[in-house]
Amino acid sequence: MIDGHGDDLFRYKGKVKINFSTNIPQTVNHEELMNHLYNCGAIFRNYPEPSPRSVEKRLGKLHGLSDENIIVTNGATEAIYLIAQLFSEQKSTIIAPTFREYQDACKVFRHEITFINSLKEIEDCHPDLVWLCNPNNPTGRVFKYEAILEIIDQFPEILYVVDQAYAQYAVKRVLSEKDILERKNVILLNSLTKQFVVPGLRIGYAIGPQNIMKKLRAIRMPWAVNSIAIEAAHYLLSHKEDYTVDYNELHRETLKLERALKEMGINTEPSDCNFFLAQLPDSSASELKDWLIENKGILIRDASNFTGLTPRHFRVAAQTPCENNKLIKALKEWRSL
């Protein structure tokens, strides 16, 4: 794992008042979930299920598919490493810039890695696996729905790992479970962490062909998902209506931030969800990040460690209108120094 993921709030104890580094909204009320877990004291005293089959069965019913097509993992990141392990020493193509864990997992398991910038370049790489993030982190872009399916069907010998952890925040169409099960060469990654805004619980899942899911289960360690995360997953899936994301409002705030930054001479890339990538014209992102923390209690994501980006790149995720206005004001002050 790289040193420098987003939401490194743990580094700045007591300093951060507004967190734009995380890609998920910070206003969700988890009081009922916490009360529920508090009243489930037995989960602390007993071992969890060796494999979280109860959650897999629940997700299967929710999505209308067999639980044999699902593996629940310790965050979507565990699924990434399990897939890289299962297909160790093969050829992987990664559409960059993107989430760094695809690259790191492939390096651990000795993949031959090729980086490309678009779906069209896949044909020239002849890979065994293709990794793509949709919506993409850090750019916030959603690949065209028809284009993804076209390339998947054009090269059925390639396994496509499509990470849709931020699907709930997308304003454009993303792949569905039905799209995946109609094909035998796709694994879809998803995240309860993002859907229910519980990143500390680390619970995600993969949907894919039963033969691949069976092999992934065979190589994972037991008790990878702890009792608290399993119980929380059951609670959250039973209370989905309490965790709806107003993705349209978040995207409107994202567009507002993009416009404001452009007016300051900061380059931004168009986004299809609640976060976007920006590039400073001269200063480094690390300098801006340090200044915002020390002077305004604001945390952004220094994006310089994404493959293909520069020390001037940073990422911002829209929060509340009031908080977004504070970021705009702070950036204007920074630019005037």
Side-chain angles (χ1 to χ4, degrees):
M1 186 190 80
I2 61 167
D3 180 25
H5 272 293
D7 196 15
D8 51 350
L9 189 66
F10 65 94
R11 299 180 187 274
Y12 309 102
K13 300 285 187 181
K15 288 187 176 182
V16 176
K17 300 174 184 176
I18 310 174
N19 187 359
F20 291 93
S21 178
T22 177
N23 280 346
I24 53 181
Q26 298 292 289
T27 56
V28 175
N29 186 342
H30 287 305
E31 185 175 352
E32 292 300 321
L33 170 62
M34 290 187 288
N35 288 337
H36 174 77
L37 294 175
Y38 179 80
N39 290 319
C40 295
I43 63 175
F44 300 99
R45 296 191 294 271
N46 301 307
Y47 278 91
E49 304 167 58
S51 181
R53 297 294 281 168
S54 64
V55 183
E56 291 166 0
K57 292 179 185 296
R58 189 166 206 142
L59 286 167
K61 290 181 180 179
L62 178 66
H63 293 304
L65 46 89
S66 169
D67 57 281
E68 296 299 321
N69 292 106
I70 302 172
I71 180 171
V72 169
T73 53
N74 190 332
T77 300
E78 186 198 6
I80 292 168
Y81 278 79
L82 287 173
I83 294 166
Q85 179 182 353
L86 182 61
F87 297 95
S88 60
E89 299 185 1
Q90 297 200 29
K91 295 180 179 180
S92 275
T93 290
I94 300 173
I95 301 179
T98 195
F99 188 44
R100 179 66 182 265
E101 291 300 343
Y102 314 140
Q103 175 182 345
D104 288 354
C106 288
K107 282 185 175 180
V108 169
F109 295 103
R110 304 174 301 283
H111 287 227
E112 180 183 326
I113 304 172
T114 302
F115 295 100
I116 59 175
N117 301 118
S118 69
L119 293 171
K120 295 179 181 179
E121 299 174 59
I122 290 173
E123 183 175 3
D124 299 325
C125 299
H126 308 290
D128 299 305
L129 292 87
V130 169
W131 304 76
L132 62 92
C133 193
N134 190 51
N136 186 39
N137 175 18
T139 65
R141 298 304 302 271
V142 172
F143 290 93
K144 188 176 180 181
Y145 174 79
E146 294 80 6
I148 293 181
L149 292 183
E150 181 180 351
I151 201 75
I152 287 172
D153 292 338
Q154 185 178 356
F155 301 103
E157 72 279 6
I158 298 173
L159 178 65
Y160 296 83
V161 184
V162 184
D163 185 350
Q164 292 194 164
Y166 295 102
Q168 283 77 22
Y169 301 90
V171 294
K172 291 184 178 179
R173 187 178 182 182
V174 296
L175 298 186
S176 68
E177 290 75 21
K178 183 175 180 289
D179 294 324
I180 301 309
L181 295 184
E182 287 177 347
R183 295 162 174 85
K184 302 300 182 184
N185 62 328
V186 187
I187 297 176
L188 185 67
L189 305 184
N190 216 322
S191 172
L192 299 185
T193 291
K194 312 300 188 301
Q195 182 178 353
F196 297 108
V197 196
V198 285
L201 287 176
R202 309 306 308 136
I203 187 159
Y205 60 100
I207 298 174
Q210 292 187 14
N211 64 319
I212 297 180
M213 298 298 104
K214 183 178 180 179
K215 291 176 182 177
L216 292 176
R217 288 192 186 93
I219 63 174
R220 71 177 310 184
M221 71 176 191
W223 306 304
V225 181
N226 67 63
S227 297
I228 301 173
I230 291 173
E231 183 61 38
H234 284 295
Y235 176 88
L236 293 168
L237 291 170
S238 297
H239 296 80
K240 289 183 63 180
E241 67 280 359
D242 297 332
Y243 291 88
T244 55
V245 175
D246 190 347
Y247 57 86
N248 284 316
E249 173 60 22
L250 282 171
H251 190 243
R252 282 192 290 269
E253 286 296 308
T254 300
L255 295 177
K256 181 182 80 174
L257 284 169
E258 287 179 358
R259 288 193 297 269
L261 268 62
K262 285 181 179 178
E263 291 172 0
M264 299 177 214
I266 300 172
N267 183 52
T268 65
E269 295 189 16
S271 171
D272 301 313
C273 62
N274 63 315
F275 56 88
F276 64 96
L277 187 65
Q279 184 178 15
L280 293 166
D282 36 42
S283 306
S284 72
S286 62
E287 292 173 336
L288 172 60
K289 179 180 178 179
D290 291 343
W291 185 88
L292 286 171
I293 292 170
E294 294 300 327
N295 294 278
K296 304 296 178 181
I298 291 174
L299 180 62
I300 62 170
R301 168 66 154 101
D302 176 356
S304 60
N305 62 349
F306 284 91
T307 296
L309 299 186
T310 73
R312 293 182 285 121
H313 280 94
F314 66 98
R315 189 193 67 204
V316 168
Q319 299 298 328
T320 68
C322 179
E323 290 170 333
N324 296 334
N325 289 336
K326 289 181 179 179
L327 175 61
I328 292 170
K329 184 179 180 181
L331 288 172
K332 285 180 178 178
E333 183 178 336
W334 157 267
R335 292 292 289 155
S336 67
L337 296 175

